[in-house]
Structure formats: structure tokens, C-alpha cells
Amino acid sequence: MALVTFSGYPASGKSTRAAQLKSHLQNTLPSHLSVVLVSDESLNLLPSVYDDSRSEKPARGALFTAVQRLMGQDKVLIVDAPNYIKGFRYQLYCAAREMKLRVCTVYVVATPDLCRQWNLARTDGRAYTPETLENLLVRFEEPSSMVRWDSPLFTVPWTDEDVPADEIVQALLTGYVKPPNSGTLAAAKAPSDALHVLEQTSTAMVSAIMDAQAATQSSGGRVTLTVSETHSVQITLPSRNLTISELQRLKRQFVTVHKKAITLGTTEKGAVDWAEESVAQKFVTYLEENLKP
């Protein structure tokens, strides 16, 4: 249904704000919708994973995998993590678009001095080392309402007592659901026997055309070709004698074009059908466009 991404300085109060929002959503959303909060803490990712890139990268991967697994049309998923890299927020945004979820970002704002103070005061064992905290403060990439992956953006300064729950709920319930990015959509795959059907059907069609031409004595016109016991196609032949070499050449061109689509997994947009009768109809269309009068 929706993805809510929290972002902000380390030790800025994101977890407190995420808990506030979760409570509001549980009391506001319809009963058929659940609220799920995923965080570094829920995944047992310690603050020390941010000490260096070698440990941070797999930790961020674990968070992203958990988010993908938990996304659904029947829930609001809250991601309580630093999310300080705009590229990672973009990843979350793209994953949400693939699932056709609404999105919003909550930017929890606190001054660096307050973050240092609150980090030192932590007694839950989840404090950052001073060096890591300073590094994350410097590397933080601030969310912006001007970019699509951070929008709509709700900013919550440290002076506010609560999150703007009503505005966030409105965005989650009525906000625009952006369609999946075409670059992230999986290409339709041809069946495993598509190459065999392509070759066999086009070969059979060449033989059928030669038989039909012999029966009509090369007079051309509209003729019916039998594809299988239950299917047949019609083709308009030119009023001249077609040679087997000409038909074989066109058949090889046709097979080459469609073989690339099959082997690369790329197919034309819309319905894709590699059944025998569909291949036969495609071959007929190709011949009618390429046979000289």
C-alpha cells in the first residue's frame, strides 16, 4: 500500500519519530491495513556496521532485502534507518514503484550538536563511536522535495512534539501511485520450445506455399495454408512463380529477427504468443511485406 522512508542525521531522533508515526497509523488506518516497522535494530544491525564501508555495504543490502520482502498492498511499511545516501533512497523508491506503492519521506531534523549530545546520552548500547558519528554527519545527503524519490517530503524539526500524522496519512491514502519504471520491468520471456516452434513452423509454411503454388499453377491470389489439424492461415501470393530459394532466404531472415528476441529475452510490447498458429501468422505478414509482386 505504501512505503515511508525516514532519513536524518544519526542520533537525531528518527526511531522516536518512527514510533510516533506507527502509533498514529495503527489508530487511523482502516482495519484491513497493517503497519510494519523495519529498522537496523529489528534486523540486529549494530551501529558499528557504519564504522567502515566493508561492513556497511552488506548491512545496507540486508536492509534493502528485508524491505523488499515486507512490501505489500495490505500494509504501510516504515523504514527507520539512517538512509543518508540519496542513491539508497532512490533504490527504495524504485522498489516501491515496482510494487505500485505510494511513497513519502520523513526528514527528521536536529542540529549536529544535539545529535552528538543525544548519542553520548544513549544507554541502550546503540550509540555510534564519535568517529563514525562525525563521518556520517559529513556524508549525509539531505532529502529534497524537488526530487521524485524524496517526494512528498515531510520535515520534522527537533522542536516539534509530534510528526505531522494527518498530512502523512492523507498522502498515504490518497497520494498518486506512480507506475513502475519501464527500465525496472522484467521482460516477457519466450517459452523454452520457442526456437523449435519458430524453425519448424516457418519450414512447414514454406512447404505449404510451394504446394499451394503448384495447385494454383502460380496464378497467385488469396490461398489458405494449413498450419495444423486445427488451424490454418491465409496469404496473398504474387502472380508469379516463387522459387524455393527465395522463400528460404525470407524464412532465414524471419527466423534470425525473431531468434534474437527469444535468446535475449526481449519481446515486442503487448501480448506475446509463441504458439504455432501465431508464428505462422507472423510469418505470413512478413512474407506479404517482403515478397516482390
Side-chain angles (χ1 to χ4, degrees), residues 31-278:
S31 58
H32 68 279
L33 296 175
S34 61
V35 183
V36 178
L37 192 153
V38 61
S39 64
D40 285 354
E41 185 173 2
S42 70
L43 298 175
N44 295 316
L45 299 176
L46 298 175
S48 58
V49 301
Y50 296 97
D51 289 349
D52 59 70
S53 59
R54 287 177 299 177
S55 58
E56 180 181 346
K57 188 174 181 179
R60 201 161 54 238
L63 175 64
F64 183 69
T65 299
V67 170
Q68 285 185 300
R69 185 178 65 252
L70 292 169
M71 283 179 177
Q73 294 294 332
D74 60 344
K75 69 184 71 170
V76 174
L77 180 59
I78 300 173
V79 185
D80 170 26
N83 300 323
Y84 68 96
I85 301 173
K86 62 182 178 182
F88 184 64
R89 295 196 299 270
Y90 178 70
Q91 274 187 285
L92 296 174
Y93 164 81
C94 289
R97 283 187 65 176
E98 284 189 65
M99 294 290 293
K100 298 182 180 180
L101 306 181
R102 293 184 176 92
V103 297
C104 76
T105 302
V106 179
Y107 178 23
V108 180
V109 178
T111 66
D113 285 341
L114 276 176
C115 293
R116 296 183 185 103
Q117 178 184 329
W118 290 340
N119 185 61
L120 288 173
R122 298 194 75 152
T123 58
D124 57 0
R126 300 195 60 82
Y128 298 90
T129 64
E131 294 80 7
T132 298
L133 179 65
E134 294 301 324
N135 185 32
L136 292 175
L137 289 174
V138 171
R139 294 168 58 197
F140 181 75
E141 297 176 329
E142 182 177 335
S144 169
S145 60
M146 301 299 291
V147 297
R148 60 189 184 279
W149 57 88
D150 288 331
S151 180
L153 178 66
F154 300 92
T155 301
V156 186
W158 73 94
T159 52
D160 287 1
E161 293 184 0
D162 206 346
V163 294
D166 292 341
E167 290 86 347
I168 294 174
V169 169
Q170 185 73 10
L172 298 182
L173 291 178
T174 64
Y176 175 62
V177 179
K178 297 181 180 179
N181 190 322
S182 60
T184 67
L185 292 176
K189 298 294 183 181
S192 58
D193 65 342
L195 282 172
H196 174 72
V197 172
L198 180 66
E199 182 68 39
Q200 187 179 53
T201 302
S202 55
T203 298
M205 289 286 291
V206 169
S207 297
I209 290 172
M210 294 302 295
D211 292 342
Q213 182 174 251
T216 60
Q217 298 182 347
S218 303
S219 60
R222 198 75 170 165
V223 298
T224 300
L225 306 176
T226 300
V227 180
S228 64
E229 294 181 359
T230 57
H231 294 89
S232 60
V233 294
Q234 290 189 321
I235 184 172
T236 301
L237 297 176
S239 56
R240 64 177 178 84
N241 184 53
L242 298 175
T243 64
I244 186 67
S245 60
E246 180 182 9
L247 291 174
Q248 290 285 13
R249 175 178 58 80
L250 290 173
K251 178 211 137 185
R252 286 193 297 271
Q253 293 174 356
F254 172 79
V255 169
T256 299
V257 169
H258 289 80
K259 184 184 292 186
K260 182 178 180 181
I262 294 172
T263 54
L264 296 181
T266 56
T267 56
E268 60 266 47
K269 293 184 181 296
V272 178
D273 186 0
W274 292 98
E276 187 178 54
E277 56 271 18
S278 178

